[in-house]
Amino acid sequence: MSQGRDQRFMDLALSLGRRGLGNVWPNPAVGCVIVQGERVVGRGWTQPGGRPHAEAMALAQAGDAAQGADVYVTLEPCSHTGKTPPCADALVNAGVSRVIAALGDPDERVAGRGFEKLRQSGIEVSIGVGAEAAALDQRGFLSRTTRGLPMLTLKIATSLDGRIATASGESQWITGARARREAHALRARHDAVLVGAGTAREDNPTLTVRDLGVQQQPVRVVASRYLNVPMPSRLSESIDQAPYWILHGPTAPTDRREKAHAHGADLIEIASSDGGGLDPAAMLAALADRGVTRVFCEGGGELSAALLNAGLVDDLVVFQAGLALGAEGRPALGAMGIAALAEAKRMTLIQTRSLCPDTMSVWRKP
């Protein structure tokens, strides 16, 4: 088969897989396309909650047309029995002739076994078509599987001079409607939204995705060392819409723990860092332990600085508005202890966009 044909159908599988970003965790968001000649006979992507898998969905659509077909899938088909039967077995039973996969699955329960099952059944296996794009799409799943940490996107909305609020704390709204809608779209593609206690107190946010018709809301997470967040709040009052987790330190008062529990929050104790605050890596590891693969952090300044200092930010998304707030405005980042430029971690510019009247830039950790 031609490389151009394989790339074309893999691109379609990748676009389908992206539909699952933010609502299939802890599973990977996989896309699958089944092709007879030049005709697509089955399409699938991982469904909300992680099931059915992309291959099962595509095979169900293809039916008998899967016999002798080529299968394009963005990640190695699973080979183990979990809550669903192995996708590798389903492909074998369907009688497909060729499987083209973008990536292998590093999960120790799979890790090449899916490909081996296919080969042992006489199915031709090709690996690597669309690998670079697939690895970007699967960054959260791959990070959690190999490092025990989710992928982290940090979002900051600032004035031209890098301020996120006036001296009095007014911040709604620095950026315009288009930028806010894009931020909601970013929330929708992540498993969890994370903010610091200051943001929870001052903004009283809901942190839900609104006006986009999402099937599954992200988990709302607040990092609060002493559990000094309001109860009740818009977060606690909207638990029927999305879970509410609070990351707190070991010295959080008992009465505050009890009050948070009474208002439906799920509490997760986190070890303290050397500086006394919550350890940033421990926070992310705790979220990964619960299956979270992609985290979208929306501040505030101290939390953002701590995550950047720890080298935990994979993508930095900056929305910038055309106004200045001056030195008395609140800075986007808290103290980072940087005395020389050489100590600052540089990121690579990936994208710039106009969201008139604002701009959006995406920076990525090298």
Side-chain angles (χ1 to χ4, degrees):
M1 296 293 176
S2 72
Q3 276 191 322
R5 175 183 185 274
D6 283 352
Q7 187 63 61
R8 177 160 50 92
F9 288 121
M10 183 59 76
D11 287 344
L12 175 56
L14 288 164
S15 69
L16 293 172
R18 292 180 191 119
R19 298 183 182 186
L21 291 175
N23 59 36
V24 303
W25 62 280
N27 286 12
V30 177
C32 180
V33 176
I34 301 176
V35 181
Q36 281 279 11
E38 290 296 317
R39 185 167 67 96
V40 174
V41 296
R43 304 189 311 160
W45 58 93
T46 313
Q47 293 299 288
R51 289 168 213 88
H53 290 184
E55 298 95 325
M57 187 179 179
L59 285 169
Q61 188 179 94
D64 292 341
Q67 180 79 33
D70 292 343
V71 177
Y72 294 84
V73 62
T74 58
L75 189 69
E76 177 180 0
C78 62
S79 56
H80 62 288
T81 300
K83 295 184 179 180
T84 57
C87 289
D89 288 355
L91 292 168
V92 170
N93 294 336
V96 306
S97 65
R98 183 169 174 252
V99 171
I100 304 91
L103 295 175
D105 186 342
D107 188 320
E108 61 183 13
R109 298 170 299 175
V110 186
R113 295 181 184 89
F115 293 142
E116 188 59 28
K117 273 192 175 187
L118 298 172
R119 291 190 178 106
Q120 287 177 352
S121 299
I123 297 172
E124 181 185 346
V125 175
S126 177
I127 307 166
V129 177
E132 185 175 353
L136 281 175
D137 292 344
Q138 299 292 357
R139 277 187 301 164
F141 172 75
L142 296 173
S143 179
R144 178 177 180 265
T145 303
T146 60
R147 300 192 303 147
L149 296 173
M151 170 202 167
L152 176 70
T153 301
L154 173 62
K155 167 239 165 179
I156 302 174
T158 80
S159 62
L160 288 173
D161 52 344
R163 306 289 158 170
I164 59 173
T166 64
S168 65
E170 183 185 358
S171 62
Q172 297 181 346
W173 299 101
I174 285 179
T175 53
R178 287 185 65 191
R180 296 197 298 275
R181 185 173 178 82
E182 183 64 30
H184 277 261
L186 285 167
R187 280 183 188 175
R189 294 196 290 272
H190 289 75
D191 310 338
V193 179
L194 170 66
V195 298
T199 299
R201 288 192 299 269
E202 294 171 18
D203 294 350
N204 192 22
T206 58
L207 301 180
T208 53
V209 179
R210 296 183 289 280
D211 302 324
L212 294 179
V214 298
Q215 292 179 282
Q216 180 170 305
Q217 289 285 348
V219 177
R220 289 89 49 81
V221 185
V222 174
S224 178
R225 181 183 177 189
Y226 296 117
L227 274 173
N228 52 342
V229 292
M231 289 287 175
S233 66
R234 293 173 72 186
L235 286 165
S236 67
E237 291 170 346
S238 56
I239 285 178
D240 60 326
Q241 299 178 43
Y244 175 28
W245 299 352
I246 306 178
L247 309 175
H248 65 86
T251 59
T254 300
D255 62 329
R256 291 181 183 172
R257 298 187 193 211
E258 292 173 348
K259 189 172 185 179
H261 271 304
H263 284 87
D266 194 346
L267 303 187
I268 307 172
E269 186 171 310
I270 303 296
S272 298
S273 65
D274 292 340
L278 297 181
D279 181 86
M283 287 195 298
L284 295 186
L287 296 180
D289 285 344
R290 291 186 167 217
V292 172
T293 67
R294 297 167 61 88
V295 176
F296 188 58
C297 180
E298 299 196 49
E302 290 186 11
L303 177 58
S304 298
L307 293 167
L308 281 167
N309 254 351
L312 295 169
V313 176
D314 297 294
D315 281 358
L316 172 63
V317 180
V318 181
F319 296 96
Q320 194 169 51
L323 76 167
L325 297 179
E328 64 271 37
R330 297 188 181 181
L333 296 175
M336 296 181 66
I338 295 173
L341 283 176
E343 299 172 11
K345 298 177 175 71
R346 293 189 181 270
M347 304 187 81
T348 301
L349 181 63
I350 299 299
Q351 180 189 53
T352 57
R353 287 173 58 191
S354 172
L355 297 174
C356 191
D358 310 309
T359 62
M360 170 184 168
S361 57
V362 181
W363 302 77
R364 183 161 295 157
K365 182 167 65 175

